[in-house]
Amino acid sequence: MFGLFNQRQPQTKVQRTVRLGLIQLDDRIVPAVVSVVPTSQPADGAITFYKLSSAITAAGMNGTVTIQGGATPEQGTVAVAIDSLTIQGDPNLPATALPAYTLSVTSQMVTLRNLNLTSVSFAAPATGETVTRSLVGSLTVAVSTTGNNANMFTYNTFTGPVNIGGNSTATSPNNDVVSNNAFSSTNTSGTMLYVVNVNGATVANNTFDGS
């Protein structure tokens, strides 16, 4: 007696070779956000610092430095030499409640917001600088030949003289904006706002109290 049987052939497993590869991502650096903190709090030297000068270096270009209330201001003038940097006071505090600093800005596109500034100076050429919603003792922008342009000084309280220099080249536009500021000064010179060579600048909606 004969029977038919299905004979199963052994299955052969085919191993697939998978090639692994690396995809090159964009080389992007995330802007740093750092803080100046009171000495009563720990400072790690990476994102929290006791000195504004150290925080500026750590923040780098396009970075942001926030000054907290109770921080200890450095003696003398703090240099700001990094482009596209933002220095701001704690947004939960008014400028009057923040430590007072003296700044010397030699870079461009710097934003100073909600700060208590004894004085601030901008070297030429000053382009795209912003000072806003701050308490400022005095402010100076050095005269340039053609480079001063598009600086914004808005919603500040100035308690001392403000001297804004434009461009000595008459045909070079300046386009600065000085608006919505409160000028209150008892300085002996009697000049609260002095602007020169500011072709195309806008000066509007400011108040002056020299009493």
Side-chain angles (χ1 to χ4, degrees), residues 131-134 139 151-158 162 164 176-184 192-195 201-210:
V131 181
T132 185
R133 302 189 183 279
S134 296
L139 183 146
N151 302 304
M152 305 279 291
F153 309 106
T154 60
Y155 297 99
N156 302 290
T157 297
F158 293 106
V162 175
I164 299 175
D176 283 357
V177 175
V178 183
S179 68
N180 298 289
N181 301 288
F183 293 83
S184 176
M192 288 182 276
L193 174 63
Y194 178 75
V195 293
T202 299
V203 180
N205 301 320
N206 300 288
T207 60
F208 298 85
D209 181 5

Side-chain angles (χ1 to χ4, degrees), residues 84-88 109-113 115 128-132:
S84 303
L85 177 71
T86 295
I87 304 175
Q88 63 182 12
M109 305 295 290
V110 171
T111 297
L112 307 177
R113 181 188 301 115
L115 294 175
E129 317 285 22
T130 298
V131 181
T132 185

Side-chain angles (χ1 to χ4, degrees), residues 25-99:
L25 300 177
D26 293 340
D27 185 14
R28 297 178 182 176
I29 299 176
V30 178
V33 178
V34 302
S35 298
V36 180
V37 299
T39 55
S40 59
Q41 299 181 16
D44 59 16
I47 61 173
T48 52
F49 301 85
Y50 294 135
K51 291 185 176 182
L52 176 57
S53 56
S54 300
I56 288 172
T57 301
M61 185 179 294
N62 297 314
T64 299
V65 178
T66 299
I67 300 174
Q68 296 185 6
T72 302
E74 295 173 57
Q75 298 294 320
T77 301
V78 177
V80 181
I82 296 176
D83 292 341
S84 303
L85 177 71
T86 295
I87 304 175
Q88 63 182 12
D90 185 336
N92 297 313
L93 295 174
T96 53
L98 295 167

Side-chain angles (χ1 to χ4, degrees), residues 109-124:
M109 305 295 290
V110 171
T111 297
L112 307 177
R113 181 188 301 115
N114 189 38
L115 294 175
N116 186 351
L117 301 173
T118 303
S119 69
V120 56
S121 63
F122 294 91

